Amino acid sequence: MQTVTDLQDKALSIRRDILTMIAEAGSGHPGGSLSAVEIVVALYFQIMRLDPANCAWPDRDRFVLSKGHAAPLLYAALAERGYFPLEELGTLRKLGGLQGHPCCKTPGVDASTGSLGQGLAIANGMALAGRLDGKDYRVYTLLGDGETEEGMVWEAAMAAAHYRLGNLTAIVDHNRLQIDGAIAEVMSPEPLAEKWVAFGWHVQVIDGHDFGQILEAFGRASRQQEQPQVIIAETVKGRGVSFMENQVKWHGSAPNGEQLQAALAELEEGVRQWKR
Amino acid sequence: MEAIATRDAYGQALVELGEQNRDLVVLDADLAMATKTAAFKQRFPDRFFDMGIAEQNMIGTAAGLALSGKVPFASSFAVFATGRAFEQIRNSVAYPGVNVKIAATHAGITVGEDGASHQSVADISLMRSLPNMTVLVPADGVETVQAVRAAAAFQGPVYIRLGRLKVPVIFGDDHHFSIGPAYVLRQGSDAAVLSCGIMVSKALEAGRQLAAEGIEIAVVNVPTIKPLDGDRLVEIARQTGAVVTAEEHSVIGGLGSAAAELLSQRYPVPLEMVGIRDCFGESGSPDQLLAKYGLTEIDIINAVKKAMVRKRDARV
């Protein structure tokens, strides 16, 4: 059992990893990686049943990163959890290294993603298979809020409720920005919570950076037997780095050396503040 | 002559395999009666998933089932299975090499009266262009059952192209289909006809009629379009010196293209293509459409003669 302080420490390490690996790669998506750090840390270090030494363990919980451009976040979590050495994070986006978007040949990656809209359907299939086999594993999938503009998301939402996939939890990273601007201006998927309710899901809206709320929400979700659950996590894109927060331009650009140092220093400062 | 639609044989094969393999599951997109997966649904309701009219989600769900150890067969009409869900097949199935079988019925123009919106003329092309994808086009009911068995036993993505129309049963129980080989069904040295699907029986009929004129053609069944049996087809081109391809598909991207890619690089010979000439179909009876779009044994005979003239002139 991890304390919230342990999880916060882990979140800090993973933010450092994300920024460092994207800077090293020279490209990548920091904004939407940083917004979902607490959610993924909660899953990989507290909630999910995993065995990093046996990533094909049939009874493991599954995680599908439907918003595949947040790959640096997933890779950092997997490396910090022991699926592969931390040094491999330095191979992001390089020939022969970690792929720009998740590929299931990487240890611990449960599904290849990156083309938005497809992860929920894959998670549905995993949840159906678990039920057929009488297994009690759970399936988690993380979607972007902009991603819910894809029609296929709603095909999958309809199917999950139809098949009563109680073993499935989706999380929507509601950071309110997409590449072309604010989701409210580009193509509003709002009201999000009401849409998921209408599709037959158990819905919770939480602060996606508050570990207390995140853990509680996953706990409540896992007690739903008859209904898939969605957690709409209110988040800040670029969270943790003041000059990246709520800035569309950091959706998909890498910090240079100077910016990286400034970002890492800010993270340190932040730690000093909350530890005080 | 006995005739059975390959979609009917598919439905029977699924039930047979379902008895043997508890991990086999079937998905459909509201066409179970037409694709014939309904027989499986009836026998194994717990392992059948109707995904409604949502092909993209069907393919994604199949990928998730396969990633958790199931052997999913996903079915719809060929237009929708390969077209509507193309990018899901590309990114969620083919790229990671996930063990999903896509068995699509109502391929080609013999869909008939439903017209061009439902007549798939480019599905082989779409599936063949995807890395990691195996593409099978069985010629009759017997071969379909064997192809479905082989696909279930094979580890990796497979596309199986099936038809709506009853087609003559060509093969006996002694037929041994496996993924890969091309099968020489009739020997001859004047030309070779490489055929797949419903065009195999027409190629055989063309062979009989040409023999009456003193022309001996090799008739080759090419049920595996990808990976193509390259060495065998080169050998056949070498033996005959003239090749005709015959398929119920566009001449762009199908068996004809595959043969042209192969032979132009390894053993160029005169090549004629019998297929749909880069156009959409229309409503009509299957026989009317086959005649109008140039997919009869007469069309094969004419193509053989044309190829033989080119072969002769090239020698002069």
Side-chain angles (χ1 to χ4, degrees), chain B residues 241-244 263 268-272 306-308 310-312 314:
Chain B
V243 169
V244 170
L263 297 176
V269 295
L271 176 72
E272 294 291 328
K306 218 168 145 187
M308 286 175 63
R310 286 174 58 199
K311 171 169 120 174
R312 184 198 64 202

Side-chain angles (χ1 to χ4, degrees), chain B residues 94-181:
Chain B
Y95 165 48
V98 173
N99 195 26
V100 170
K101 320 301 169 186
I102 300 152
T105 65
H106 294 64
I109 56 169
T110 49
V111 166
E113 293 77 0
D114 275 351
S117 60
H118 285 52
Q119 294 165 348
S120 180
V121 298
D123 53 302
I124 297 176
S125 177
L126 287 169
M127 293 297 100
R128 195 170 73 85
S129 66
L130 289 175
N132 290 341
M133 185 63 76
T134 294
V135 179
L136 306 180
V137 185
D140 75 348
V142 172
E143 192 165 70
T144 297
V145 171
Q146 296 189 12
V148 173
R149 278 187 206 140
F154 179 83
Q155 183 66 35
V158 180
Y159 176 64
I160 309 176
R161 183 185 214 237
L162 304 165
R164 167 178 178 252
L165 200 63
K166 283 188 177 176
V167 290
V169 175
I170 301 166
F171 300 111
D173 293 336
D174 57 343
H175 183 55
H176 292 295
F177 168 88
S178 59
I179 294 173

Side-chain angles (χ1 to χ4, degrees), chain A residues 182-204:
Chain A
I183 61 169
E185 286 163 21
V186 178
M187 179 52 63
S188 175
E190 305 292 352
L192 262 183
E194 287 84 344
K195 280 196 176 68
W196 290 94
V197 168
F199 273 78
W201 287 57
H202 175 270
V203 180
Q204 303 179 72

Side-chain angles (χ1 to χ4, degrees), chain A residues 60 62 99 101-105 110-112 115 118 121-122 124-126 128-129 132-133 137 152 155-156 159 163, chain B residues 23 25 46-51 53-58 60-61 63-65 67-68 70 87-88 91-92 95-96:
Chain A
R60 74 189 186 282
R62 272 88 169 150
Q99 296 301 296
H101 291 83
C103 164
C104 58
K105 290 181 181 81
D110 286 321
S112 297
S115 170
Q118 302 191 23
I122 295 172
N124 284 350
M126 293 172 168
L128 281 171
L132 277 176
D133 288 339
Y137 66 72
M152 185 190 174
E155 293 183 6
Y163 282 105
Chain B
D23 282 330
V25 297
D46 294 348
R47 285 192 267 147
F48 177 86
F49 302 104
D50 204 319
M51 303 312 293
I53 309 163
E55 296 76 14
Q56 303 173 23
N57 183 49
M58 173 175 75
T61 306
L65 282 156
L67 284 165
S68 291
K70 298 297 166 194
E87 207 257 346
Q88 286 73 17
N91 272 317
S92 289
Y95 165 48

